[in-house]
Amino acid sequence: MAKKKPLVVVTRKLPDIIETRMCELFDTRLNMDDRPMSPAEIIEAAKTADVLVPTVTDRIDAAMIAAAGDRLKLIANFGNGVDNIDVVAANERGIDVTNTPGVLTEDTADMTMALILAVARRIVEGAHVIPGGEWGGWSPTWMLGQRITGKRLGIVGMGRIGQALARRAHAFGLQIHYHNRRRVASSIEEAVEATYWESLDQMLARMDIVSINCPHTPATYHLLSARRLKYLRPHAILVNTARGEVIDEVTLTAMLQAGEIAGAGLDVFEHEPAVSSKLTKLAAAGKVTLLPHMGSATTEGRIDMGDKVIVNVKAFMDGHRPPDRVLQSML
Ligand code: 8YV
């Protein structure tokens, strides 16, 4: 008799090619209309599933894990960040957690560089001028942004994405500075002529542009606290493609309103998908560029992420250690 296929519940619509392959390999329950599942629906699904495939929009907290059925053995996150999952609670119930690292590095670094350029060179504001019928012609002192060549970029979190950003920014002539829990290998520093700052406070006080590229963990929640944000200089630009929770968004908004920093490019928000009306007003005034969590949003990236989910589920179901198992020491 053929072995029973594991029941895999996918919470959101994934690329067609991924869903097709998952249906071939597993007993897969898809979400064809992509309506986010309610917590109650996820709990219901987790009662009978062997594997749950959530995304950043699903909060898999301790209560949900406690309510899961005994069959649930793997949470294979479609995404790199696992701050939506209580990994400790999962492990305590004997449930493994995997993620999709590596495949969204370059896309997210591209988007970070794009935000740096967009804010410094006022690209979004400029792009509205002609369609808005407001262009009276060229002027020497109109629409001036900030030059980025020669400026200091401070990268907070020098992991894969931070390093990929450093490579891009170095090619654009930015001076690379970074803060990280650990100093990275000298070969990585040398390739981009990077300066390591052990003190985040001191780095923030000296940068022209700061980019957040660290994961959201208990240790990085409000890493850019009200106290630290005050170190930023008035001409500084802050860019975040990591997680909204890393920055105290209320203080950042107030500083932008008061002109205490020059601008911000935000792809992520503290209470996604809610974005404060204060921030949207600042965007309308051209002070900030706001993107709806698009860092890894490429067709190729999303297929690669899906492939990673499949490899993790398949390896696990075949009795092997899944390649992208999240260890508590990573959190
Ligand atoms: C994904 C992300 O879109 O992978 C991540 O951590 O932030 C995003 O780029 C999202 O997480 C998908 O679940």
Side-chain angles (χ1 to χ4, degrees), residues 12 14 54-58 77-84 99-101 104 107-108 161 241-243 267-268 272 292-297 302 305:
R12 300 297 300 266
L14 300 184
T55 74
V56 70
T57 55
D58 308 304
N77 196 44
F78 181 88
N80 190 27
V82 287
D83 54 333
N84 54 320
N99 65 344
T100 62
L104 38 79
D107 295 327
T108 308
I161 298 171
T241 54
R243 283 292 184 269
D267 183 48
V268 286
E272 276 179 41
H293 202 142
M294 289 166 59
S296 68
R302 291 290 150 84
M305 288 163 75

Side-chain angles (χ1 to χ4, degrees), residues 4-330:
K4 201 168 167 294
K5 288 179 179 176
L7 175 60
V8 178
V9 174
V10 185
T11 65
R12 300 297 300 266
K13 171 94 186 81
L14 300 184
D16 288 343
I17 187 169
I18 297 302
E19 292 189 338
T20 304
R21 187 69 185 131
M22 287 186 94
C23 289
E24 285 163 3
L25 290 169
F26 319 120
D27 176 9
T28 307
R29 195 174 307 157
L30 299 172
N31 178 354
M32 297 309 281
D33 60 10
D34 199 31
R35 184 181 57 80
M37 288 166 73
S38 69
E41 285 171 326
I42 296 178
I43 287 179
E44 204 41 47
K47 286 197 172 132
T48 51
D50 298 291
V51 179
L52 184 66
V53 179
T55 74
V56 70
T57 55
D58 308 304
R59 253 192 91 68
I60 313 298
D61 57 16
M64 194 170 278
I65 285 163
D70 288 339
R71 275 176 65 177
L72 188 70
K73 286 285 170 273
L74 177 67
I75 300 173
N77 196 44
F78 181 88
N80 190 27
V82 287
D83 54 333
N84 54 320
I85 302 168
D86 190 329
V87 177
V88 175
N91 290 171
E92 275 168 7
R93 272 211 70 187
I95 301 167
D96 272 353
V97 177
T98 58
N99 65 344
T100 62
V103 291
L104 38 79
T105 305
E106 306 299 326
D107 295 327
T108 308
D110 285 344
M111 196 57 108
T112 313
M113 197 64 221
L115 271 179
I116 291 172
L117 287 165
V119 178
R121 299 301 305 276
R122 305 175 65 178
I123 293 174
V124 177
E125 241 182 301
H128 282 108
V129 171
I130 295 175
E134 293 159 21
W135 197 30
W138 184 88
S139 155
T141 53
W142 182 66
M143 268 297 179
L144 307 186
Q146 290 191 34
R147 174 185 290 164
I148 65 161
T149 305
K151 297 287 168 61
R152 293 171 160 217
L153 168 66
I155 300 176
V156 180
M158 197 64 153
R160 289 187 200 86
I161 298 171
Q163 290 173 32
L165 171 63
R167 290 194 293 276
R168 284 156 177 75
H170 185 247
F172 273 85
L174 282 150
Q175 295 176 38
I176 309 300
H177 299 257
Y178 76 98
H179 169 80
N180 200 44
R181 271 184 299 184
R182 279 179 298 278
R183 192 168 175 166
V184 298
S186 55
S187 57
I188 297 169
E189 285 187 355
E190 281 158 20
V192 293
E193 301 174 87
T195 303
Y196 174 61
W197 292 80
E198 201 178 324
S199 161
L200 176 57
D201 295 6
Q202 289 186 20
M203 182 177 89
L204 294 175
R206 288 166 180 79
M207 295 300 118
D208 303 302
I209 303 167
V210 171
S211 174
I212 308 300
N213 296 103
C214 61
H216 167 218
T217 66
T220 64
Y221 175 77
H222 280 198
L223 184 65
L224 268 76
S225 58
R227 181 188 69 78
R228 285 213 175 95
L229 283 166
K230 298 288 178 191
Y231 285 118
L232 292 170
R233 297 192 291 178
H235 70 271
I237 289 171
L238 180 60
V239 167
N240 188 5
T241 54
R243 283 292 184 269
E245 290 91 335
V246 179
I247 301 178
D248 177 341
E249 198 174 282
V250 170
T251 303
L252 171 64
T253 307
M255 287 175 69
L256 286 159
Q257 284 175 319
E260 288 167 19
I261 67 165
L266 306 175
D267 183 48
V268 286
F269 304 89
E270 238 190 293
H271 306 287
E272 276 179 41
V275 177
S276 78
S277 58
K278 289 180 182 158
L279 271 180
T280 51
K281 273 192 199 127
L282 284 163
K287 293 245 184 248
V288 296
T289 298
L290 307 179
L291 294 179
H293 202 142
M294 289 166 59
S296 68
T298 66
T299 303
E300 296 88 340
R302 291 290 150 84
I303 291 172
D304 290 347
M305 288 163 75
D307 276 337
K308 281 227 153 221
V309 168
I310 291 172
V311 169
N312 282 315
V313 176
K314 181 89 174 75
F316 186 82
M317 286 302 160
D318 290 346
H320 306 295
R321 190 194 154 94
D324 303 309
R325 189 152 78 98
V326 176
L327 304 175
Q328 288 181 27
S329 56
M330 296 171 175

